[in-house]
Amino acid sequence: MNGRSKVSGGAVGGGLLVAGTTSDAGKSVVTAGICRWLVRQGVRVAPFKAQNMSLNSFVTREGAEIGRAQAMQAAAARVEPTALMNPVLLKPGSDRSSQVVLLGKPVGELSARGYHAGRQEQLLGTVTDCLQELRRTHDAVICEGAGSPAEINLRRTDIVNMGIARAARIPVVVVGDIDRGGVFASFFGTTALLSKEDQALVAGYLVNKFRGDVTLLEPGLEMLRGLTGRRTLGVLPFAHGLGIDEEDGLRVSLRGAVRESVVAPPLGADVLRVAVCAVPLMSNFTDVDALAAEPGVVVRFVDRAEELADADLVVLPGTRGTVRALEWLRERGLADAIARRAAEGRPVLGICGGFQMLGEHIEDEVESKAGAVEGLGLLPVRVRFAVEKTLARPSGEALGEPVEGYEIHHGVAEVTGGDEAFISDDQGRSLDGCRTGSVWGTHWHGSLESDGFRRAFLRRVAADAGRAFVPAPDTSFGTLREEQLDRLGDLIEEHADTGALLRLIEEGVPEGLPFVPPGAP
């Protein structure tokens, strides 16, 4: 990096904003890929997203809640995630309101109108301060935008796309998903709907998810350059099975396989089928990624009772609306189907909100304000929702193996019985959750990423389900994650103009980028 980007003497590091023509264009993946490519070049790099809307979150070591995508990007950059990397996190509780998490701590519930009517603008100073601190302590900061920068109805209060780019004076690269079609129109339209001042920061484009012969695309890229005066800085090929953490739990595909990667054959005679109930406001469904990584384990999201019939394990995942999800299970007949499974000794696992639903009684004057609600009654647990949110990174033991996890919940569980604790300390004292028969429950997210425990748990599930399934002895979820992040770095290194990207990061916004009419109204 050049002298401008070095940290010594308090100088500010370089920066780049990865925006997108749409949601799911690939901003998170491209940001992670650039971070991994840079760190492999010896650059001290950090990710940043000013404002994230996601039900998939993570707890940093200092006890701050941030989006899982930023935690994944921090792993790509080989740095410890912090609240600075995602200062504003919005956790939807309905189509119209979200919990606002500021610098890792919840500060209240706001409607979308209330947030955009003033609170968002007030946060611009906070997010620019966080970005400034990251740039002060790193050679480069790769920022991720949200949705599209051309959402002209929201531009006045924007703090995550052109708002932060303008405030920090950093160049912008726009990513478009060509697999959806219309990528040229999206690039041109996105640029042309920005104001002259915003357009002056848009330095180029990246095509994502391309299939086929890239030479057939080149005439269009040249025409796009003629129309906008901006180069396309790379054409990234479609890549299966990247397994990167999703952001938006509201749009997960219901009956789709949890990952596109080819399922490896089982070591034993049987596969193990896992059905994840796709409850409303499902959160941290990434908990089951570690199961999907196991050879012979097939994980699917389901929303009908009959889809549980051939499942060897049913998972009730976390949710931002425990009481609402409980009602949903009952309305769809899933609650009765799960109760029948438990009576037959067939395995069920509840995680966080799922654990709470499996209990006997819920007292909720905080999240749903529904008051007293009866749970499924499958675990001896009583839950009371507290105003204060539990945010922690605990560790313990389960089934004789070390376990690490993270906690994000308002519900406080009182375990009144059961056959054993789910997780204990090294003295055998209960730390969290419980098991009754073949029904298990825990508040800990991420526990299945602990390899030894995951294998021990799957052996128990297979025995209870009567399956001749044998977990692989050498599956390392952490290693698989690293391999996936390296694949993202390879995509950037092999298919993007890394020299041009590096110049943008080091030297900032190019001079003389042309205006594309009509501009913002």
Side-chain angles (χ1 to χ4, degrees):
M1 305 291 285
N2 67 12
R4 173 187 177 278
S5 300
K6 289 180 181 173
V7 178
S8 59
V12 174
L16 181 72
L17 175 71
V18 178
T21 57
T22 62
S23 295
D24 292 338
K27 299 182 291 291
S28 296
V29 166
V30 169
T31 300
I34 294 174
C35 285
R36 178 49 60 101
W37 160 65
L38 283 172
V39 77
R40 293 195 308 208
Q41 311 308 308
V43 177
R44 291 177 298 175
V45 59
F48 176 80
K49 186 162 185 172
Q51 172 195 294
N52 195 350
M53 177 173 280
S54 179
L55 288 169
N56 281 334
S57 57
F58 183 75
V59 179
T60 67
R61 295 214 177 273
E62 73 266 32
E65 185 179 8
I66 66 172
R68 272 199 70 100
Q70 279 60 67
M72 174 270 294
Q73 291 160 357
R78 295 179 180 147
V79 294
E80 189 67 32
T82 74
L84 293 174
M85 297 173 184
N86 179 206
V88 181
L89 173 64
L90 306 178
K91 302 194 73 176
S94 70
D95 291 340
R96 294 178 177 270
S97 68
S98 295
Q99 183 182 66
V100 180
V101 179
L102 180 61
L103 293 174
K105 304 297 180 184
V107 294
E109 198 91 11
L110 278 179
S111 68
R113 180 173 293 277
Y115 184 66
H116 289 287
R119 184 62 190 268
Q120 191 177 31
E121 284 181 287
Q122 296 168 12
L123 295 174
L124 181 59
T126 299
V127 301
T128 54
D129 287 348
C130 291
L131 176 55
Q132 181 76 2
E133 178 62 17
L134 287 174
R135 295 181 74 186
R136 189 185 67 79
T137 54
H138 294 80
D139 298 328
V141 179
I142 308 303
C143 309
E144 179 188 345
S148 163
E151 292 167 352
I152 54 179
N153 57 313
L154 302 177
R155 176 60 186 92
R156 183 180 63 80
T157 58
D158 169 52
I159 64 171
V160 65
N161 290 305
M162 304 313 297
I164 191 70
R166 284 266 292 275
R169 193 65 191 169
I170 55 176
V172 178
V173 173
V174 181
V175 178
D177 179 357
I178 197 169
D179 198 49
R180 296 181 174 192
V183 74
F184 294 117
S186 297
F187 282 143
F188 181 84
T190 297
T191 308
L193 275 177
L194 300 179
S195 69
K196 184 175 182 179
E197 294 78 9
D198 286 351
Q199 284 191 31
L201 302 178
V202 176
Y205 310 111
L206 273 172
V207 175
N208 193 29
K209 299 183 184 178
F210 179 73
R211 309 173 193 245
D213 183 353
V214 73
T215 61
L216 299 176
L217 195 64
E218 288 170 353
L221 301 180
E222 281 303 310
M223 285 186 272
L224 180 68
R225 184 175 184 178
L227 289 166
T228 67
R230 291 157 174 86
R231 290 180 52 221
T232 297
L233 304 180
V235 178
L236 309 182
F238 191 100
H240 287 278
L242 290 176
I244 297 303
D245 295 355
E246 302 282 354
E247 281 201 345
D248 194 344
L250 294 177
R251 288 181 288 114
V252 65
S253 172
L254 291 186
R255 289 178 291 279
V258 69
R259 288 292 173 237
E260 293 178 326
S261 53
V262 176
V263 177
L267 270 67
D270 289 339
V271 298
L272 208 63
R273 296 173 177 84
V274 179
V276 184
C277 294
V279 297
L281 298 175
M282 182 167 49
S283 62
N284 286 63
F285 56 87
T286 47
D287 282 329
V288 300
D289 284 357
L291 296 178
E294 284 285 346
V297 176
V298 180
V299 181
R300 298 184 71 82
F301 293 105
V302 303
D303 63 349
R304 296 194 299 241
E306 57 268 27
E307 293 177 296
L308 305 188
D310 66 346
D312 302 305
L313 170 66
V314 169
V315 177
L316 287 180
T319 172
R320 182 72 168 95
T322 300
V323 171
R324 177 177 167 186
L326 193 53
E327 293 171 352
W328 181 87
L329 290 174
R330 287 176 168 138
E331 289 168 359
R332 289 177 169 259
L334 286 159
D336 289 339
I338 292 169
R340 287 194 297 271
R341 288 183 63 88
E344 294 165 0
R346 301 171 67 196
V348 177
L349 170 64
I351 302 173
C352 199
F355 168 44
Q356 295 165 7
M357 287 186 275
L358 290 172
E360 298 168 343
H361 183 81
I362 297 171
E363 193 72 34
D364 181 12
E365 298 291 351
V366 176
E367 190 176 76
S368 68
K369 298 181 172 58
V373 176
E374 294 307 305
L376 297 179
L378 302 180
L379 289 176
V381 176
R382 299 179 71 83
V383 176
R384 177 185 55 81
F385 275 69
V387 174
E388 181 107 10
K389 181 185 279 192
T390 297
L391 296 169
R393 285 276 294 273
S395 60
E397 294 183 359
L399 300 179
E401 300 286 347
V403 180
E404 292 184 351
Y406 56 101
E407 294 184 72
I408 306 170
H409 54 92
H410 284 280
V412 178
E414 178 190 2
V415 179
T416 59
D419 299 330
E420 63 178 319
F422 190 96
I423 299 170
S424 304
D425 63 15
D426 56 6
Q427 302 297 315
R429 293 172 296 214
S430 174
L431 290 178
D432 180 78
C434 66
R435 175 186 68 82
T436 296
S438 60
V439 180
W440 308 69
T442 178
H443 269 132
W444 289 21
H445 296 289
S447 62
L448 293 167
E449 295 181 17
S450 298
D451 297 326
F453 165 68
R454 182 179 64 254
R455 287 191 278 270
F457 178 70
L458 289 176
R459 282 192 290 270
R460 290 282 292 268
V461 167
D464 287 346
R467 293 287 186 186
F469 169 83
V470 179
D474 56 355
T475 301
S476 167
F477 187 71
T479 299
L480 290 172
R481 263 291 160 79
E482 274 296 298
E483 291 173 356
Q484 290 163 338
L485 294 172
D486 274 331
R487 288 181 63 196
L488 294 184
D490 293 343
L491 282 176
I492 298 300
E493 189 167 346
E494 296 169 10
H495 300 283
D497 185 340
T498 53
L501 290 175
L502 197 58
R503 283 192 296 275
L504 290 175
I505 294 167
E506 288 187 318
E507 300 171 11
V509 182
E511 296 293 332
L513 291 168
F515 173 69
V516 180

